[in-house]
Amino acid sequence: MHELNIRRTDDGTGWLLELTGDWVLRRGDHRVDDLLQALKSKVTPDETLIFVDADIGRWNSALVVLIRRVSEYAKAHRLHVDVSRLPQGAQQLLALAESQSNAANRPNQTTYQPTFAERIGNSVLASWENILVSFSFIGALISAVGKLCVGKAEIRAKDVYDCMHDAGPAAFGIVALISILIGMILAFVGAVQLQQFGASIFVASLVALGMAREMGAMMTAIIMAGRTGASYAAQLGSMQVNEEIDALTTMGLRPIEFLVLPRFIALLIMLPLLTVFSMALGILGGALVSQLMLDISFTQFVEQMTTTVPLRHFAIGLLKSVLFALVIAVAGCMNGINCGRNAMAVGQATTRSVVSAIVFIIVVDAIVTITTTLIGI
């Protein structure tokens, strides 16, 4: 039970509000409204309301709410409030509530806007930090590959097999669909142009060269960057958020060897195989269009292709697929391992993985194409 007694001070300049008992919140408690009604009938402007701890037992925020309501009433009616005779904890809570109320009522301050030079400096520092993180990851990966070569890497064959299945057979469907459509598009576009010059048979050369040297490797890599690379970033990022990577480190396992190396090996093996698969299906799609639009038989298509497209173009496509596999694996695993500690960071890491992988795939493709062309391959 609690009680609040109101009586005038001895000098007649204010009112003593004497609190006794337990001041905790109860359902249907209307003591604040009752107190305000009592004050309206008693106090006059410029008087002081003095809260007194007569014998307060238990108390919680209900006491603070009571005093805050009375203080607001006093402020509106030119009254003064004195809480110096209350428990120290209650005074601190009241001061905190007052400061928070003042901060909430304070007009919004203008947020700091960095200057142009500061933005450039921040961008340079962020880029430099990303470069250091990339070199650190690549160095650790090279060290792990070196340990794998001498048989000292902490890696499980089952993990490699599972990653190979995810990066290979599970991706056959989408790679097949895209590849055959690309081959058909190349053949259709070539047929429309070459028919005008009576050189329809060269559609076979066009499709084979395009699929072997460029489109087979690039389209497969882009598909795998969006599918497998993003999956690597999301998997490792989720493990980072759930502190599973920290747990592995605590147990003495190296995350680069235990988590990254199986994915790296799987993609390095499966992407060239998928590229060969893509080349074959793209050429098949071109042969089908040639048969339907140009009456070029499958035998004629193959003869034209084998006589005009040397095997070195297929070798260049395979070389690109190996480089693309390195790019995708590094982008996916590096962004996943260096992910932040919340769900949003996992999404950001996945996006960065896909974007950076596709950008570097185009860059690597341009470098290889220009280099091989300049040296006459």
Side-chain angles (χ1 to χ4, degrees):
M1 293 294 293
H2 62 271
E3 189 173 352
L4 191 154
N5 295 319
I6 304 175
R7 66 180 178 86
R8 183 170 285 280
T9 57
D10 296 338
D11 57 4
T13 58
W15 295 86
L16 295 175
L17 283 64
E18 298 174 332
L19 304 170
T20 58
D22 296 333
W23 286 84
V24 293
L25 186 63
R26 293 185 178 86
R27 185 184 294 277
D29 196 345
H30 303 295
R31 56 195 163 191
V32 177
D33 296 330
D34 296 340
L35 173 60
L36 294 179
Q37 288 296 329
L39 291 176
K40 285 180 182 178
S41 62
K42 296 178 180 296
V43 300
T44 58
D46 298 325
E47 290 186 319
T48 301
L49 303 178
I50 305 171
F51 284 94
V52 178
D53 178 9
D55 187 15
I56 295 177
R58 294 182 299 117
W59 61 273
N60 58 17
S61 58
L63 175 61
V64 179
V65 170
L66 167 74
I67 299 172
R68 286 282 301 164
R69 290 281 304 276
V70 173
S71 299
E72 292 172 358
Y73 174 84
K75 186 180 297 182
H77 294 80
R78 289 193 298 134
L79 297 172
H80 307 288
V81 176
D82 182 357
V83 296
S84 60
R85 302 185 189 182
L86 287 178
Q88 189 67 27
Q91 293 184 42
Q92 293 174 347
L93 280 178
L94 285 168
L96 178 62
E98 184 68 22
S99 63
Q100 292 298 318
S101 176
N102 293 336
N105 295 329
R106 192 178 303 137
N108 293 331
Q109 296 181 349
T110 304
T111 56
Y112 175 71
Q113 295 292 334
T115 63
F116 179 71
E118 288 174 327
R119 289 199 295 272
I120 292 177
N122 291 334
S123 300
V124 171
L125 290 175
S127 300
W128 177 246
E129 186 176 352
N130 290 333
I131 290 172
L132 292 179
V133 169
S134 302
F135 276 109
S136 173
F137 177 84
I138 292 172
L141 183 58
I142 291 173
S143 173
V145 172
K147 293 179 69 175
L148 177 68
C149 293
V150 296
K152 293 184 178 179
E154 297 165 342
I155 185 173
R156 296 187 304 182
K158 181 180 181 304
D159 292 341
V160 178
Y161 173 79
D162 291 341
C163 292
M164 287 177 64
H165 180 271
D166 181 67
F172 274 176
I174 184 66
V175 172
L177 175 64
I178 299 299
S179 299
I180 200 165
L181 288 176
I182 292 294
M184 295 176 73
I185 292 170
L186 283 176
F188 181 79
V189 173
V192 171
Q193 298 300 322
L194 293 173
Q195 266 184 324
Q196 301 176 19
F197 305 99
S200 304
I201 190 64
F202 288 101
V203 168
S205 305
L206 173 68
V207 173
L209 183 62
M211 290 304 301
R213 186 152 180 151
E214 292 292 338
M215 301 306 294
M218 180 177 287
M219 293 309 301
T220 305
I222 290 175
I223 293 169
M224 297 303 286
R227 181 187 177 278
T228 306
S231 170
Y232 288 173
Q235 290 170 2
L236 298 177
S238 299
M239 294 180 73
Q240 188 71 270
V241 171
N242 295 327
E243 300 181 353
E244 295 175 51
I245 293 178
D246 294 338
L248 290 174
T249 305
T250 304
M251 289 188 292
L253 297 173
R254 296 178 177 84
I256 296 293
E257 297 177 19
F258 195 73
L259 299 175
V260 174
L261 210 50
R263 291 167 171 80
F264 178 77
I265 295 171
L267 202 56
L268 205 59
I269 294 172
M270 298 312 299
L271 191 56
L273 295 179
L274 285 175
T275 300
V276 173
F277 181 65
S278 172
M279 291 176 183
L281 287 180
I283 292 171
L284 177 62
L288 291 174
V289 171
S290 299
Q291 175 91 41
L292 296 174
M293 290 186 62
L294 306 172
D295 290 329
I296 298 174
S297 67
F298 187 75
T299 303
Q300 290 176 305
F301 189 95
V302 172
E303 287 178 354
Q304 176 65 24
M305 180 184 73
T306 53
T307 55
T308 57
V309 183
L311 287 177
R312 68 172 183 273
H313 297 298
F314 292 90
I316 291 173
L318 285 177
L319 171 65
K320 288 182 178 178
S321 70
V322 173
L323 298 177
F324 294 161
L326 295 174
V327 168
I328 296 169
V330 169
C333 295
M334 183 177 68
N335 283 293
I337 285 287
N338 295 304
C339 175
R341 298 282 184 172
N342 54 58
M344 183 181 293
V346 176
Q348 292 171 342
T350 305
T351 303
R352 280 199 306 273
S353 165
V354 175
V355 172
S356 58
I358 290 176
V359 169
F360 279 101
I361 284 170
I362 303 297
V363 171
V364 169
D365 183 75
I367 292 173
V368 174
T369 300
I370 293 172
T371 304
T372 53
T373 302
L374 290 176
I375 62 178
I377 299 178

